[in-house]
Amino acid sequence: MIEKIGTEEARYVSQPCKEMIEYLEKMLSKTPPPLTIAEVGVGFGATSVEIVKRLRKEDTFYFYSFQDEVDELFEDLKSQEYCRCNLVPLGNSHALYDSFCWNLGKQVIDPKNEGGLFNLVYLDGAHSFLFSGLACALLKKLVRDGGYLIFDDLQWSYGNSPDRNPNVEPGILDQYTQEQVDTPQIQMVVDAFMKNDYQWLCERTTKRRAIYKKKHEHKWLFLTRLFK
């Protein structure tokens, strides 16, 4: 899979998320191991490669996508000399209503993940309110206090996508209304689930990405009690 990075086939997904790498490097410089990092939606592995290059042997990298994609990426990454960290590929089928949300949901209800699992998460999966909205709600429970959740493609829509717009893929109009095609659905996810949640601090927003930090619970609970 990773051999396709930089090719015409991967022209839209060959650049790693610079904010993800920036925040990962900050955490590595300040946080003793182990760190647990996650990427939801892997593309051709451009961001995954840069994550794995930086992680230490005590750290763990979870990555979510279709089963065939995570299997191929797992084989590619573990064969690289720079791969020292633990790799956890979590795949879902191509069934219509299956998605990475199923695996995230199982992790949320697993008692051992109470209190959080991830230090840093990059959400770049299905660009729909249906799947990314649910993923956001689940990831908010899985990110540890002081951890980060990064949203990609805030302004992406099916209507403005070069390869998924209805002129290229007419079947999109069988799946979404015209309003949904025209709406940047990741921005809608952020507006619905993040903007008014006082447990989360928006650290940075660009035209493309939003970065949120989960506040430490004891401070948040104190403030909520103070202002009741």
Side-chain angles (χ1 to χ4, degrees), residues 14 82 104 176 218:
S14 283
Y82 56 72
L104 292 172
Y176 297 98
H218 66 280

Side-chain angles (χ1 to χ4, degrees), residues 171-185:
I172 289 295
L173 292 175
D174 295 326
Q175 302 174 43
Y176 297 98
T177 66
Q178 188 62 53
E179 180 183 11
Q180 291 169 329
V181 166
D182 295 336
T183 298
Q185 296 194 35

Side-chain angles (χ1 to χ4, degrees), residues 11-216:
R11 62 191 181 279
Y12 300 120
V13 289
S14 283
Q15 295 300 316
C17 173
K18 63 180 182 180
E19 290 86 354
M20 180 65 178
I21 303 310
E22 175 190 341
Y23 274 77
L24 175 58
E25 289 179 343
K26 284 182 181 179
M27 298 195 88
L28 287 167
S29 68
K30 297 178 179 179
T31 309
L35 285 179
T36 305
I37 310 300
E39 181 179 11
V40 181
V42 298
F44 288 97
T47 300
S48 304
V49 166
E50 297 305 318
I51 291 170
V52 169
K53 282 181 179 179
R54 290 162 170 80
L55 291 181
R56 304 154 296 194
K57 64 179 181 179
E58 301 93 342
D59 300 325
T60 301
F61 177 47
Y62 285 77
F63 47 104
Y64 304 75
S65 192
F66 292 113
Q67 189 69 57
D68 54 326
E69 293 177 352
V70 297
D71 287 346
E72 185 175 357
L73 182 58
F74 175 74
E75 294 298 326
D76 285 351
L77 292 174
K78 76 173 186 178
S79 68
Q80 303 301 313
E81 290 184 0
Y82 56 72
C83 182
R84 297 164 293 172
C85 66
N86 303 301
L87 300 175
V88 184
L90 291 173
N92 56 268
S93 74
H94 287 269
L96 182 60
Y97 294 114
D98 193 14
S99 75
F100 43 75
C101 295
W102 188 259
N103 285 318
L104 292 172
K106 289 193 292 185
Q107 289 177 298
V108 166
I109 62 177
D110 188 334
K112 74 173 182 290
N113 294 326
E114 186 176 350
L117 173 62
F118 302 124
N119 300 98
L120 175 63
V121 180
Y122 178 42
L123 178 56
D124 186 31
H127 290 53
S128 70
F129 188 81
L130 176 66
F131 292 118
S132 291
L134 177 55
C136 175
L138 295 167
L139 286 168
K140 287 171 71 174
K141 294 178 176 291
L142 288 169
V143 174
R144 296 172 179 168
D145 288 355
Y148 295 89
L149 180 52
I150 299 178
F151 297 84
D152 197 15
D153 291 330
L154 295 180
Q155 298 306 311
W156 186 98
S157 71
Y158 286 99
N160 66 28
S161 169
D163 58 343
R164 299 296 307 279
N165 72 77
N167 292 326
V168 175
E169 193 174 330
I172 289 295
L173 292 175
D174 295 326
Q175 302 174 43
Y176 297 98
T177 66
Q178 188 62 53
E179 180 183 11
Q180 291 169 329
V181 166
D182 295 336
T183 298
Q185 296 194 35
I186 302 304
Q187 183 65 65
M188 187 175 177
V189 169
V190 171
D191 291 343
F193 292 98
M194 304 302 296
K195 278 194 170 180
N196 295 319
D197 189 334
Y198 297 104
Q199 194 177 1
W200 290 81
L201 173 68
C202 181
E203 285 222 335
R204 188 190 308 176
T205 300
T206 67
K207 288 184 177 180
R208 180 167 181 177
R209 298 185 176 112
I211 302 159
Y212 279 82
K213 180 178 182 179
K214 190 173 186 179
K215 299 176 184 178
H216 289 281

